């Protein structure tokens, strides 16, 4: 009796199992993050905050919290001091924010939005809100709220905000 050979490559994508990843939240979060980032980058194409991480959050936080310190943003976006410094320098070079010494502590820096940065922040808020709504349109609102609550709690713990 002939031995049946196991079918080999090519493997159609719908037949490939995810191994242990099938049941790991981290796999799905990383994968969805990639898809979300690509989609948002496409929507932000041509704007100074496209392509990269941390720029949108920094822009929005500086716009909504005048004088915020880079160290606070770094904690919120989970960046180290040198990465945050490079990000701030890049945003200053694009005339989106300015950096000033803090009046109460000459060693500390404060960040402020420029007119160009404020205009961009208004555009980005609209784009980011619509993108989130569009991307998750197939998920019932109740489930979106539950997922957001869970992810918010995990984020706050991970960022050291629940102490």
């Amino acid at each position: 009796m002939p031995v049946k050979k196991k079918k080999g490559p090519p493997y159609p994508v719908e037949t490939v199992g995810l191994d242990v990843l099938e049941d790991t939240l981290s796999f799905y979060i990383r994968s969805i993050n990639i898809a979300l980032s690509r989609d948002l980058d496409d929507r932000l194409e041509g704007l100074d905050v496209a392509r990269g991480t941390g720029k949108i959050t920094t822009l929005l936080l500086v716009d909504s919290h005048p004088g915020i310190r880079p160290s606070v943003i770094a904690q919120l976006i989970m960046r180290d001091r040198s990465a945050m410094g490079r990000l701030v320098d890049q945003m200053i070079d694009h005339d989106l924010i300015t950096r000033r010494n803090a009046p109460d502590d000459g060693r500390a820096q404060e960040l402020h939005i420029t007119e160009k940065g404020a205009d961009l922040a208004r555009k980005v808020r609209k784009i980011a809100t619509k993108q989130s709504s569009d991307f998750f349109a197939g998920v019932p609102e109740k489930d979106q709220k539950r997922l957001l609550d869970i992810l918010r709690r995990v984020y706050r713990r991970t960022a050291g905000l629940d102490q």
Side-chain angles (χ1 to χ4, degrees):
M1 178 188 263
V3 176
K4 277 191 168 184
K5 288 189 177 184
K6 205 174 190 180
K7 185 167 172 143
Y11 299 102
V13 69
E14 61 274 359
T15 68
V16 176
L18 296 174
D19 202 281
V20 298
L21 299 176
E22 189 75 41
D23 296 313
T24 60
L25 286 169
S26 58
F27 170 77
Y28 293 104
I29 289 171
R30 283 191 306 270
S31 299
I32 291 167
N33 179 53
I34 291 167
L36 275 166
S37 295
R38 286 178 182 160
D39 183 61
L40 188 57
D41 279 343
D42 288 346
R43 293 171 188 244
L44 295 170
E45 188 66 41
L47 300 178
D48 285 329
V49 290
R51 311 261 181 260
T53 58
K55 291 184 267 187
I56 292 171
T57 308
T58 300
L59 179 76
L60 297 178
L61 290 176
V62 172
D63 187 46
S64 59
H65 301 282
I68 193 169
R69 294 191 174 163
S71 58
V72 172
I73 299 173
Q75 181 178 351
L76 292 170
I77 64 173
M78 294 181 248
R79 287 280 184 98
D80 62 41
R81 179 172 275 170
S82 62
M84 190 68 217
R86 288 189 302 275
L87 179 60
V88 166
D89 289 343
Q90 181 182 27
M91 295 182 79
I92 289 170
D93 290 346
H94 285 109
D95 192 33
L96 300 175
I97 62 175
T98 61
R99 176 176 32 216
R100 299 181 204 149
N101 287 337
D104 61 329
D105 180 355
R107 297 170 298 155
Q109 299 176 340
E110 295 180 342
L111 302 176
H112 296 271
I113 201 79
T114 64
E115 188 175 323
K116 180 181 175 184
D119 289 343
L120 181 57
R122 281 189 287 280
K123 291 176 189 171
V124 168
R125 281 187 183 95
K126 288 179 185 174
I127 292 169
T129 301
K130 176 138 178 46
Q131 188 249 2
S132 184
S133 176
D134 291 350
F135 194 90
F136 293 102
V139 178
E141 189 175 340
K142 181 179 111 181
D143 292 342
Q144 287 184 40
K145 287 181 179 180
R146 185 163 181 239
L147 179 59
L148 183 59
D149 179 58
I150 292 165
L151 292 175
R152 186 180 288 126
R153 282 186 276 140
V154 173
Y155 164 77
R156 292 188 62 78
R157 181 181 49 78
T158 305
L161 302 174
D162 286 337
Q163 297 176 9

Coordinates of all heavy atoms in Angstrom, one line a residue, residues 26-115:
S26 N -1.0 38.9 23.0 CA 0.1 39.8 22.4 C 0.2 39.6 20.9 O 0.5 40.6 20.2 CB 1.4 39.4 23.1 OG 1.7 38.0 22.9
F27 N 0.0 38.4 20.4 CA 0.0 38.3 18.9 C -1.0 39.2 18.2 O -0.7 39.9 17.3 CB -0.2 36.8 18.5 CG -0.4 36.6 17.0 CD1 0.7 36.7 16.2 CD2 -1.7 36.5 16.5 CE1 0.5 36.6 14.8 CE2 -1.9 36.3 15.1 CZ -0.8 36.4 14.3
Y28 N -2.2 39.1 18.7 CA -3.3 39.9 18.1 C -3.1 41.4 18.3 O -3.3 42.2 17.4 CB -4.7 39.4 18.7 CG -5.0 38.0 18.3 CD1 -4.9 37.0 19.1 CD2 -5.4 37.7 17.0 CE1 -5.2 35.7 18.8 CE2 -5.7 36.4 16.6 CZ -5.6 35.4 17.5 OH -5.8 34.1 17.1
I29 N -2.6 41.8 19.5 CA -2.4 43.2 19.7 C -1.3 43.7 18.8 O -1.4 44.8 18.1 CB -2.1 43.5 21.2 CG1 -3.4 43.3 22.0 CG2 -1.5 44.9 21.4 CD1 -3.2 43.3 23.5
R30 N -0.2 43.0 18.6 CA 0.9 43.4 17.7 C 0.4 43.4 16.3 O 0.7 44.4 15.6 CB 2.1 42.5 17.9 CG 2.9 42.7 19.1 CD 4.3 41.9 19.1 NE 4.1 40.5 18.8 CZ 3.9 39.6 19.8 NH1 3.9 40.0 21.1 NH2 3.8 38.3 19.5
S31 N -0.3 42.4 15.9 CA -0.8 42.4 14.5 C -1.8 43.5 14.2 O -1.7 44.1 13.1 CB -1.5 41.0 14.2 OG -0.5 40.0 14.4
I32 N -2.7 43.7 15.1 CA -3.7 44.8 14.9 C -2.9 46.2 14.9 O -3.3 47.1 14.1 CB -4.8 44.8 15.9 CG1 -5.7 43.5 15.6 CG2 -5.6 46.0 15.9 CD1 -6.6 43.1 16.7
N33 N -1.9 46.3 15.8 CA -1.2 47.5 15.8 C -0.5 47.8 14.5 O -0.5 49.0 14.0 CB -0.1 47.5 16.9 CG 0.7 48.7 17.0 OD1 0.2 49.8 17.1 ND2 2.0 48.6 16.9
I34 N 0.0 46.8 13.9 CA 0.7 47.0 12.5 C -0.4 47.5 11.5 O -0.1 48.4 10.8 CB 1.4 45.7 12.1 CG1 2.6 45.4 12.9 CG2 1.7 45.8 10.6 CD1 3.1 44.0 12.8
A35 N -1.5 46.8 11.5 CA -2.6 47.2 10.6 C -3.1 48.6 10.8 O -3.3 49.4 9.9 CB -3.7 46.2 10.6
L36 N -3.3 48.9 12.1 CA -3.8 50.3 12.5 C -2.7 51.3 12.1 O -3.1 52.4 11.6 CB -4.0 50.4 14.0 CG -5.3 49.9 14.5 CD1 -5.3 49.7 16.0 CD2 -6.4 50.9 14.1
S37 N -1.5 51.1 12.4 CA -0.4 52.0 12.0 C -0.3 52.3 10.5 O -0.2 53.4 10.1 CB 0.9 51.5 12.6 OG 0.9 51.5 14.0
R38 N -0.4 51.2 9.8 CA -0.3 51.4 8.3 C -1.5 52.2 7.8 O -1.4 53.1 7.0 CB -0.4 50.0 7.6 CG 0.9 49.3 7.7 CD 0.9 47.9 7.1 NE 2.1 47.2 7.2 CZ 2.3 45.9 7.1 NH1 1.2 45.1 6.8 NH2 3.4 45.3 7.3
D39 N -2.7 51.9 8.3 CA -3.9 52.6 7.9 C -3.8 54.1 8.3 O -4.1 55.0 7.5 CB -5.1 52.0 8.6 CG -6.4 52.7 8.1 OD1 -6.7 52.7 6.9 OD2 -7.1 53.2 9.0
L40 N -3.4 54.4 9.5 CA -3.2 55.8 10.0 C -2.2 56.5 9.2 O -2.3 57.6 8.8 CB -2.9 55.8 11.5 CG -3.0 57.2 12.1 CD1 -4.3 57.9 11.9 CD2 -2.7 57.1 13.6
D41 N -1.0 55.8 8.9 CA 0.0 56.5 8.1 C -0.5 56.8 6.7 O -0.2 57.9 6.2 CB 1.2 55.5 8.0 CG 2.2 55.6 9.2 OD1 2.0 56.6 10.0 OD2 3.0 54.7 9.3
D42 N -1.3 56.0 6.1 CA -1.9 56.3 4.8 C -2.8 57.5 4.9 O -2.7 58.4 4.0 CB -2.7 55.1 4.3 CG -1.9 53.9 3.8 OD1 -0.6 54.1 3.7 OD2 -2.5 52.8 3.7
R43 N -3.6 57.6 6.0 CA -4.5 58.8 6.1 C -3.7 60.1 6.5 O -4.2 61.2 6.2 CB -5.5 58.5 7.2 CG -6.4 57.4 6.9 CD -7.3 57.0 8.1 NE -8.1 55.8 7.8 CZ -9.4 55.8 7.8 NH1 -10.1 56.9 8.0 NH2 -10.1 54.7 7.6
L44 N -2.5 59.9 7.1 CA -1.7 61.1 7.5 C -0.7 61.5 6.4 O 0.1 62.4 6.6 CB -1.0 60.8 8.8 CG -1.9 60.7 10.0 CD1 -1.1 60.2 11.2 CD2 -2.7 62.0 10.3
E45 N -0.7 60.7 5.3 CA 0.4 60.9 4.3 C 0.5 62.4 4.0 O -0.4 63.1 3.8 CB 0.0 60.2 3.0 CG 1.0 60.2 1.9 CD 2.3 59.4 2.4 OE1 2.1 58.3 3.0 OE2 3.4 59.9 2.1
G46 N 1.8 62.9 3.9 CA 2.1 64.2 3.6 C 2.1 65.2 4.8 O 2.5 66.3 4.7
L47 N 1.6 64.7 6.0 CA 1.6 65.5 7.2 C 2.9 65.2 8.0 O 3.4 64.1 7.9 CB 0.4 65.3 8.0 CG -1.0 65.6 7.4 CD1 -2.1 65.2 8.3 CD2 -1.1 67.0 6.9
D48 N 3.3 66.2 8.8 CA 4.6 66.1 9.5 C 4.6 65.0 10.6 O 5.6 64.7 11.2 CB 5.0 67.4 10.2 CG 5.5 68.4 9.1 OD1 6.1 68.0 8.2 OD2 5.3 69.6 9.3
V49 N 3.5 64.4 10.9 CA 3.4 63.4 11.9 C 3.3 61.9 11.3 O 3.2 61.0 12.1 CB 2.3 63.6 12.9 CG1 2.6 64.8 13.8 CG2 0.9 63.8 12.2
A50 N 3.3 61.8 10.0 CA 3.1 60.5 9.4 C 4.4 59.7 9.6 O 5.5 60.3 9.8 CB 2.8 60.6 7.9
R51 N 4.3 58.4 9.6 CA 5.5 57.5 9.6 C 6.3 57.7 10.9 O 7.2 58.5 11.0 CB 6.4 57.7 8.4 CG 5.6 57.6 7.1 CD 5.7 56.3 6.5 NE 5.0 56.3 5.2 CZ 3.8 55.8 5.0 NH1 3.1 55.4 6.0 NH2 3.2 55.9 3.9
G52 N 6.0 56.9 11.9 CA 6.7 56.9 13.1 C 5.8 56.9 14.3 O 4.6 57.0 14.2
T53 N 6.4 56.6 15.4 CA 5.6 56.5 16.6 C 5.9 57.6 17.6 O 7.1 58.0 17.7 CB 5.8 55.1 17.3 OG1 7.2 55.0 17.6 CG2 5.4 54.0 16.4
G54 N 4.9 58.0 18.3 CA 5.1 59.0 19.3 C 4.8 60.5 18.9 O 4.6 61.3 19.7
K55 N 4.9 60.7 17.6 CA 4.7 62.1 17.1 C 3.3 62.6 17.3 O 3.1 63.7 17.8 CB 5.1 62.2 15.6 CG 6.6 62.0 15.4 CD 6.9 62.3 13.9 CE 6.9 61.0 13.2 NZ 7.4 61.0 11.8
I56 N 2.3 61.8 17.1 CA 0.9 62.2 17.2 C 0.6 62.5 18.7 O 0.1 63.5 19.0 CB 0.0 61.1 16.6 CG1 0.1 61.1 15.1 CG2 -1.5 61.4 17.0 CD1 -0.6 59.9 14.5
T57 N 1.0 61.5 19.5 CA 0.7 61.7 21.0 C 1.4 63.0 21.5 O 0.8 63.8 22.2 CB 1.2 60.5 21.8 OG1 0.6 59.3 21.2 CG2 0.7 60.6 23.2
T58 N 2.7 63.1 21.1 CA 3.4 64.3 21.5 C 2.8 65.6 21.1 O 2.5 66.5 21.9 CB 4.9 64.2 21.0 OG1 5.5 63.1 21.6 CG2 5.7 65.5 21.5
L59 N 2.4 65.6 19.8 CA 1.7 66.8 19.3 C 0.4 67.1 20.0 O 0.2 68.3 20.4 CB 1.4 66.6 17.8 CG 0.7 67.7 17.1 CD1 1.7 68.9 16.8 CD2 0.0 67.3 15.8
L60 N -0.4 66.1 20.2 CA -1.7 66.4 20.9 C -1.5 66.7 22.4 O -2.2 67.6 22.9 CB -2.6 65.1 20.8 CG -3.0 64.8 19.3 CD1 -3.8 63.5 19.3 CD2 -3.7 65.9 18.6
L61 N -0.5 66.1 23.1 CA -0.3 66.5 24.5 C 0.3 67.9 24.6 O -0.1 68.6 25.5 CB 0.6 65.4 25.1 CG 0.0 64.0 25.3 CD1 1.0 63.1 25.9 CD2 -1.3 64.1 26.2
V62 N 1.2 68.2 23.8 CA 1.7 69.6 23.8 C 0.6 70.6 23.5 O 0.5 71.7 24.2 CB 2.9 69.8 22.9 CG1 3.4 71.2 22.8 CG2 4.1 68.9 23.3
D63 N -0.2 70.3 22.6 CA -1.3 71.2 22.2 C -2.3 71.4 23.4 O -2.8 72.5 23.7 CB -2.0 70.8 21.0 CG -3.1 71.7 20.5 OD1 -2.8 73.0 20.4 OD2 -4.2 71.3 20.1
S64 N -2.7 70.3 24.0 CA -3.7 70.3 25.1 C -3.1 70.6 26.5 O -3.9 70.9 27.4 CB -4.5 69.0 25.1 OG -3.7 67.9 25.3
H65 N -1.8 70.5 26.6 CA -1.2 70.8 27.9 C 0.0 71.7 27.8 O 1.2 71.3 27.8 CB -0.7 69.5 28.6 CG -1.8 68.5 28.8 ND1 -2.7 68.6 29.9 CD2 -2.2 67.4 28.1 CE1 -3.6 67.6 29.8 NE2 -3.3 66.9 28.7
P66 N -0.2 73.0 27.5 CA 0.9 73.9 27.3 C 1.9 73.9 28.4 O 1.5 73.9 29.6 CB 0.2 75.3 27.2 CG -1.2 75.0 26.9 CD -1.5 73.7 27.5
G67 N 3.2 73.8 28.1 CA 4.2 73.7 29.1 C 4.6 72.3 29.6 O 5.4 72.2 30.5
I68 N 3.9 71.3 29.1 CA 4.2 70.0 29.5 C 5.7 69.6 29.3 O 6.3 70.1 28.4 CB 3.3 68.9 28.7 CG1 3.3 67.6 29.4 CG2 3.7 68.9 27.2 CD1 2.3 66.6 28.9
R69 N 6.2 68.9 30.2 CA 7.6 68.5 30.2 C 7.8 67.2 29.3 O 7.0 66.3 29.4 CB 8.2 68.3 31.6 CG 8.1 69.7 32.3 CD 8.9 69.7 33.6 NE 8.9 71.1 34.1 CZ 9.1 71.4 35.3 NH1 9.4 70.5 36.2 NH2 9.1 72.7 35.7
P70 N 8.9 67.2 28.6 CA 9.2 66.0 27.8 C 9.2 64.7 28.6 O 8.8 63.7 28.1 CB 10.6 66.3 27.2 CG 10.7 67.8 27.2 CD 10.0 68.2 28.4
S71 N 9.7 64.8 29.9 CA 9.7 63.6 30.7 C 8.3 63.0 30.9 O 8.2 61.8 31.0 CB 10.4 63.9 32.0 OG 9.7 64.9 32.7
V72 N 7.3 63.9 31.0 CA 6.0 63.4 31.3 C 5.5 62.7 30.0 O 4.9 61.6 30.1 CB 5.0 64.6 31.6 CG1 3.6 64.1 31.6 CG2 5.4 65.2 33.0
I73 N 5.7 63.3 28.8 CA 5.3 62.6 27.6 C 6.1 61.3 27.4 O 5.5 60.3 27.0 CB 5.5 63.6 26.4 CG1 4.7 64.9 26.5 CG2 5.2 62.9 25.1 CD1 5.0 65.9 25.5
A74 N 7.3 61.3 27.7 CA 8.1 60.1 27.6 C 7.5 58.9 28.4 O 7.4 57.8 27.9 CB 9.6 60.3 28.0
Q75 N 7.1 59.2 29.6 CA 6.5 58.2 30.4 C 5.2 57.7 29.7 O 4.9 56.5 29.7 CB 6.2 58.7 31.8 CG 5.6 57.6 32.7 CD 5.3 58.0 34.1 OE1 5.7 59.0 34.5 NE2 4.6 57.1 34.8
L76 N 4.4 58.7 29.2 CA 3.1 58.3 28.6 C 3.2 57.5 27.3 O 2.4 56.7 27.0 CB 2.2 59.6 28.4 CG 1.8 60.3 29.7 CD1 1.2 61.6 29.3 CD2 0.8 59.4 30.4
I77 N 4.3 57.8 26.6 CA 4.5 57.0 25.3 C 5.5 56.0 25.4 O 5.9 55.3 24.5 CB 4.8 58.0 24.1 CG1 6.1 58.7 24.3 CG2 3.6 58.9 23.9 CD1 6.5 59.5 23.0
M78 N 6.0 55.8 26.7 CA 6.9 54.7 27.0 C 8.2 54.8 26.2 O 8.7 53.8 25.6 CB 6.3 53.3 26.9 CG 5.2 53.2 27.9 SD 4.3 51.6 27.9 CE 2.7 52.1 27.3
R79 N 8.8 56.0 26.2 CA 10.1 56.2 25.5 C 11.1 56.5 26.5 O 10.9 57.1 27.5 CB 9.9 57.4 24.5 CG 9.1 57.2 23.3 CD 10.0 56.5 22.3 NE 9.3 56.3 21.0 CZ 9.5 57.1 20.0 NH1 10.2 58.1 20.0 NH2 8.9 56.8 18.8
D80 N 12.4 56.2 26.1 CA 13.5 56.6 27.0 C 13.8 58.1 26.7 O 13.4 58.7 25.7 CB 14.7 55.7 26.9 CG 15.3 55.7 25.5 OD1 15.4 56.7 24.9 OD2 15.7 54.6 25.1
R81 N 14.6 58.6 27.6 CA 15.0 60.1 27.5 C 15.6 60.4 26.2 O 15.3 61.5 25.6 CB 15.9 60.4 28.7 CG 16.3 61.9 28.7 CD 17.1 62.2 29.9 NE 16.1 62.5 30.9 CZ 16.3 62.7 32.2 NH1 17.5 62.6 32.7 NH2 15.3 63.0 33.0
S82 N 16.6 59.6 25.7 CA 17.3 60.0 24.4 C 16.3 59.9 23.2 O 16.3 60.8 22.3 CB 18.5 59.1 24.2 OG 18.1 57.7 24.1
A83 N 15.4 58.9 23.2 CA 14.5 58.8 22.1 C 13.5 60.0 22.1 O 13.1 60.5 21.1 CB 13.7 57.5 22.2
M84 N 13.1 60.4 23.3 CA 12.2 61.5 23.5 C 12.9 62.8 23.0 O 12.3 63.6 22.3 CB 11.7 61.6 24.9 CG 10.6 62.6 25.1 SD 9.1 62.1 24.4 CE 8.4 63.6 23.8
G85 N 14.2 62.9 23.3 CA 14.9 64.1 22.9 C 15.0 64.2 21.4 O 14.8 65.3 20.8
R86 N 15.2 63.1 20.7 CA 15.3 63.0 19.3 C 13.9 63.4 18.7 O 13.8 64.2 17.7 CB 15.7 61.7 18.8 CG 17.2 61.4 19.0 CD 17.7 60.1 18.3 NE 16.9 58.9 18.7 CZ 17.3 58.2 19.7 NH1 18.3 58.5 20.5 NH2 16.6 57.1 20.0
L87 N 12.8 62.9 19.3 CA 11.5 63.2 18.8 C 11.2 64.7 18.9 O 10.7 65.3 18.0 CB 10.5 62.3 19.6 CG 9.0 62.5 19.2 CD1 8.7 62.2 17.8 CD2 8.2 61.6 20.2
V88 N 11.5 65.2 20.1 CA 11.3 66.7 20.3 C 12.1 67.5 19.3 O 11.6 68.4 18.7 CB 11.6 67.1 21.8 CG1 11.7 68.6 22.0 CG2 10.5 66.5 22.7
D89 N 13.3 67.1 19.1 CA 14.2 67.9 18.2 C 13.6 67.9 16.8 O 13.6 68.9 16.1 CB 15.6 67.3 18.1 CG 16.4 67.6 19.4 OD1 16.0 68.5 20.2 OD2 17.4 66.9 19.6
Q90 N 13.1 66.7 16.4 CA 12.5 66.6 15.1 C 11.3 67.5 14.9 O 11.1 68.1 13.9 CB 12.1 65.1 14.8 CG 11.5 64.8 13.4 CD 11.2 63.4 13.3 OE1 10.9 62.7 14.2 NE2 11.1 62.9 12.1
M91 N 10.4 67.5 16.0 CA 9.2 68.3 15.9 C 9.5 69.8 16.0 O 8.8 70.6 15.4 CB 8.3 67.8 17.0 CG 7.8 66.4 16.8 SD 6.6 65.8 18.1 CE 5.2 66.6 17.4
I92 N 10.6 70.1 16.7 CA 11.0 71.5 16.7 C 11.5 71.9 15.3 O 11.2 73.0 14.8 CB 12.1 71.8 17.7 CG1 11.5 71.7 19.1 CG2 12.8 73.1 17.5 CD1 12.5 71.7 20.3
D93 N 12.3 71.0 14.7 CA 12.8 71.3 13.3 C 11.7 71.5 12.3 O 11.9 72.2 11.3 CB 13.7 70.1 12.8 CG 15.0 70.1 13.6 OD1 15.4 71.1 14.3 OD2 15.7 69.0 13.5
H94 N 10.5 70.8 12.5 CA 9.4 71.0 11.6 C 8.5 72.1 12.1 O 7.4 72.3 11.5 CB 8.6 69.7 11.6 CG 9.3 68.6 10.7 ND1 9.9 67.5 11.3 CD2 9.5 68.6 9.4 CE1 10.4 66.8 10.3 NE2 10.2 67.4 9.1
D95 N 8.9 72.9 13.0 CA 8.2 74.1 13.5 C 6.8 73.7 14.1 O 5.8 74.4 13.9 CB 8.0 75.1 12.4 CG 7.5 76.5 13.0 OD1 7.8 76.8 14.1 OD2 6.8 77.2 12.3
L96 N 6.7 72.5 14.7 CA 5.4 72.1 15.3 C 5.3 72.5 16.8 O 4.3 72.7 17.3 CB 5.3 70.6 15.2 CG 5.3 70.1 13.7 CD1 5.2 68.6 13.7 CD2 4.1 70.7 13.0
I97 N 6.5 72.5 17.5 CA 6.5 72.8 18.9 C 7.8 73.6 19.2 O 8.7 73.7 18.4 CB 6.6 71.5 19.8 CG1 7.8 70.7 19.6 CG2 5.3 70.7 19.6 CD1 7.9 69.5 20.5
T98 N 7.8 74.2 20.4 CA 9.0 75.0 20.8 C 9.3 74.4 22.2 O 8.5 73.8 22.9 CB 8.8 76.5 20.9 OG1 7.7 76.7 21.9 CG2 8.4 77.1 19.6
R99 N 10.6 74.6 22.6 CA 11.1 74.2 23.9 C 11.6 75.4 24.6 O 12.3 76.2 24.0 CB 12.2 73.2 23.6 CG 12.9 72.7 24.8 CD 14.0 71.6 24.6 NE 14.6 71.7 23.3 CZ 15.0 70.7 22.5 NH1 14.8 69.5 22.9 NH2 15.6 70.9 21.4
R100 N 11.2 75.5 25.9 CA 11.7 76.6 26.7 C 12.1 76.1 28.1 O 11.6 75.1 28.5 CB 10.6 77.6 27.0 CG 10.0 78.3 25.7 CD 8.9 79.3 26.1 NE 8.0 79.4 25.0 CZ 6.7 79.7 25.0 NH1 6.1 79.9 26.2 NH2 6.0 79.8 24.0
N101 N 13.0 76.8 28.7 CA 13.4 76.5 30.1 C 12.2 76.8 31.0 O 11.5 77.8 30.8 CB 14.6 77.2 30.5 CG 15.9 76.7 29.9 OD1 15.9 75.6 29.4 ND2 16.9 77.6 29.8
A102 N 12.0 75.9 31.9 CA 10.9 76.1 32.9 C 11.2 77.2 33.8 O 12.3 77.3 34.3 CB 10.6 74.8 33.7
P103 N 10.3 78.2 34.1 CA 10.6 79.3 35.0 C 10.9 78.9 36.4 O 11.7 79.5 37.1 CB 9.3 80.2 34.9 CG 8.3 79.3 34.3 CD 8.9 78.2 33.6
D104 N 10.3 77.8 36.9 CA 10.5 77.3 38.2 C 11.8 76.4 38.4 O 12.2 76.2 39.5 CB 9.3 76.6 38.8 CG 9.0 75.4 38.0 OD1 9.3 75.3 36.7 OD2 8.4 74.4 38.5
D105 N 12.3 76.0 37.3 CA 13.5 75.1 37.4 C 14.3 75.2 36.0 O 13.8 74.7 35.0 CB 13.0 73.6 37.6 CG 14.2 72.6 37.7 OD1 15.4 73.0 37.4 OD2 13.9 71.4 37.9
G106 N 15.3 76.0 36.1 CA 16.1 76.3 34.9 C 16.6 75.0 34.1 O 17.0 75.1 33.0
R107 N 16.7 73.9 34.8 CA 17.2 72.7 34.2 C 16.1 71.9 33.5 O 16.4 71.1 32.6 CB 17.8 71.7 35.3 CG 19.0 72.3 36.0 CD 19.4 71.4 37.2 NE 18.3 71.4 38.1 CZ 18.0 70.5 39.0 NH1 18.8 69.5 39.1 NH2 17.0 70.6 39.8
A108 N 14.9 72.2 33.8 CA 13.7 71.5 33.2 C 13.3 72.2 32.0 O 13.5 73.5 31.9 CB 12.6 71.4 34.2
Q109 N 12.7 71.5 31.1 CA 12.2 72.1 29.8 C 10.7 72.0 29.8 O 10.1 71.0 30.3 CB 12.8 71.4 28.6 CG 14.3 71.5 28.5 CD 14.9 70.7 27.4 OE1 14.2 69.8 26.8 NE2 16.1 71.0 27.0
E110 N 10.1 72.9 29.1 CA 8.7 72.9 28.8 C 8.5 72.9 27.3 O 9.3 73.6 26.6 CB 8.0 74.1 29.4 CG 8.0 74.2 30.9 CD 7.3 75.5 31.5 OE1 7.1 76.4 30.7 OE2 6.9 75.5 32.6
L111 N 7.4 72.3 26.9 CA 7.1 72.3 25.5 C 5.8 73.1 25.2 O 4.9 73.0 26.0 CB 6.9 70.8 25.0 CG 8.1 69.9 25.2 CD1 7.8 68.5 24.8 CD2 9.4 70.4 24.4
H112 N 5.9 73.8 24.1 CA 4.7 74.6 23.7 C 4.4 74.4 22.2 O 5.3 74.2 21.4 CB 5.0 76.1 24.0 CG 5.2 76.4 25.4 ND1 4.1 76.7 26.3 CD2 6.3 76.4 26.2 CE1 4.6 76.9 27.5 NE2 5.9 76.7 27.5
I113 N 3.2 74.5 21.9 CA 2.7 74.3 20.5 C 3.0 75.6 19.7 O 2.9 76.7 20.2 CB 1.2 73.9 20.4 CG1 0.9 73.2 19.1 CG2 0.3 75.1 20.7 CD1 1.3 71.8 19.1
T114 N 3.3 75.4 18.4 CA 3.4 76.6 17.5 C 2.1 76.7 16.8 O 1.2 75.8 16.9 CB 4.5 76.4 16.5 OG1 4.1 75.3 15.6 CG2 5.9 76.2 17.1
E115 N 1.9 77.8 16.1 CA 0.7 78.0 15.3 C 0.5 76.8 14.2 O -0.5 76.2 14.1 CB 0.7 79.3 14.6 CG -0.6 79.7 13.9 CD -0.6 81.1 13.3 OE1 0.0 82.0 13.9 OE2 -1.2 81.2 12.2

